[in-house]
Amino acid sequence: MKTVIIIPARLESTRLPRKMLLRETGCSLIEHTYRSAKSSRLTQEVIVATDSEEIFTEVESFGGKVVMTDPNHICGTDRVAEVAASLTDTDFIINVQGDEPEICSSAIDKAITTLADDVQTPMSTLATPITEQALLTDPNCVKVVLDERNKALLFSRSQIPFPRNPNDFYYCGDASVSEQGDFVFLQHLGVYGYRREFLLKIPDLKKCPLEQIESLEQLRILYHGHSIKVGLVPSSAPGIDTLEDYQAFVSRTTN
């Protein structure tokens, strides 16, 4: 089984423009993410997919593989699918966001094994127990609920599930658990695994109201009746969305 990581990377972003090229650590943010992705034991190749000449030049400068894509793509999944279309010898595609410089190899490998171990599932992703109560109402923390087979029932920026009796749940150490000891509140992590043939179909799926309301692409998959298997990992690496996030990353990296 050949597996390729594709990192969609655009220059502009709403909250932190040009973040992919920030380099207060001595390396650009996209280089950090690329090198973290390369540490995966179960992948054979890492490719950056971009529509920016500056990012293209930056990736080439540190010896990474990069492909220019259509500038009219409206989301990262479409950009990943464009590159995947040419990878005819590849079985699995892993989508790692460009602003995840500290993503660990074990998380990427979990997305791969979660997909490989369930031949009926076309797509995988990751989740981790929510460890801070404040995250339950934070719309930037996407929540997910699962069925008994760890397939996603729903993703939302709202608190799901909503506890009618909050006293039934508590935080124990580093996890949110029920009185029975089960994980209850799960944060979705933006790493996706796809069977290549399924990924190529996603750009043709019609957008749904849930996706547009929540601004979550994965809801389109569920809306059209496809399943997403969720692998559980013990913790998450912080992504870079704001200047404060980046400054904290610089501090962790350089101190």
Side-chain angles (χ1 to χ4, degrees), residues 8-250:
R10 61 192 182 97
L11 192 59
E12 299 305 326
S13 60
T14 303
R15 287 180 286 179
L16 186 56
R18 299 178 63 82
K19 65 182 176 182
M20 293 298 163
L21 300 180
L22 295 175
R23 55 188 319 114
E24 290 183 28
T25 63
C27 296
S28 63
L29 186 63
I30 187 62
E31 180 175 356
H32 280 291
T33 301
Y34 187 93
R35 298 200 182 284
S36 292
K38 288 281 284 185
S39 67
S40 166
R41 297 181 300 106
L42 302 180
T43 55
Q44 288 73 53
E45 191 172 17
V46 178
I47 302 171
V48 175
T50 188
D51 61 355
S52 163
E53 292 285 357
E54 289 182 76
I55 291 177
F56 187 95
T57 300
E58 169 61 19
V59 175
E60 282 200 322
S61 75
F62 62 73
K65 184 169 183 178
V66 58
V67 175
M68 285 293 292
T69 56
D70 189 334
N72 296 315
H73 289 313
I74 60 175
C75 65
T77 304
D78 292 351
R79 199 174 306 286
V80 170
E82 179 187 339
V83 176
S86 65
L87 303 177
T88 56
D89 63 341
T90 300
D91 302 288
F92 297 157
I93 302 293
I94 307 301
N95 180 344
V96 172
Q97 304 304 306
D99 56 7
E100 296 280 352
E102 295 174 286
I103 189 168
C104 62
S105 60
S106 60
I108 297 172
D109 292 344
K110 182 67 174 180
I112 298 168
T113 57
T114 298
L115 186 63
D117 291 345
D118 188 340
V119 297
Q120 302 299 320
T121 299
M123 179 174 169
S124 68
T125 192
L126 301 176
T128 190
I130 291 176
T131 60
E132 299 176 37
Q133 210 157 0
L135 291 177
L136 296 178
T137 54
D138 183 349
N140 294 315
C141 172
V142 177
K143 277 69 73 174
V144 60
V145 290
L146 311 178
D147 69 9
E148 65 178 356
R149 297 165 297 174
N150 278 11
K151 292 187 177 181
L153 292 169
L154 181 66
F155 299 87
S156 181
R157 297 183 183 277
S158 299
Q159 180 176 346
I160 54 172
F162 186 86
R164 187 169 184 179
N165 184 357
N167 293 328
D168 288 343
F169 307 95
Y170 60 96
Y171 286 81
C172 178
D174 59 356
S176 53
V177 298
S178 71
E179 290 184 334
Q180 291 74 40
D182 301 321
F183 296 144
V184 176
F185 304 109
L186 296 173
Q187 178 180 358
H188 173 236
L189 307 180
V191 178
Y192 298 99
Y194 309 92
R195 298 185 189 277
R196 176 180 171 274
E197 64 273 16
F198 178 71
L199 171 60
L200 299 184
K201 298 174 182 177
I202 294 177
D204 295 327
L205 294 178
K206 184 179 179 181
K207 283 191 174 183
C208 69
L210 282 175
E211 174 189 6
Q212 294 171 320
I213 290 170
E214 294 254 19
S215 190
L216 296 174
E217 296 174 40
Q218 62 270 35
L219 290 171
R220 189 190 325 175
I221 307 301
L222 301 183
Y223 180 84
H224 287 284
H226 303 289
S227 62
I228 303 175
K229 190 72 173 282
V230 180
L232 297 179
V233 294
S235 61
S236 64
I240 310 298
D241 292 318
T242 66
L243 180 58
E244 290 74 21
D245 292 339
Y246 182 70
Q247 290 171 337
F249 165 66
V250 172

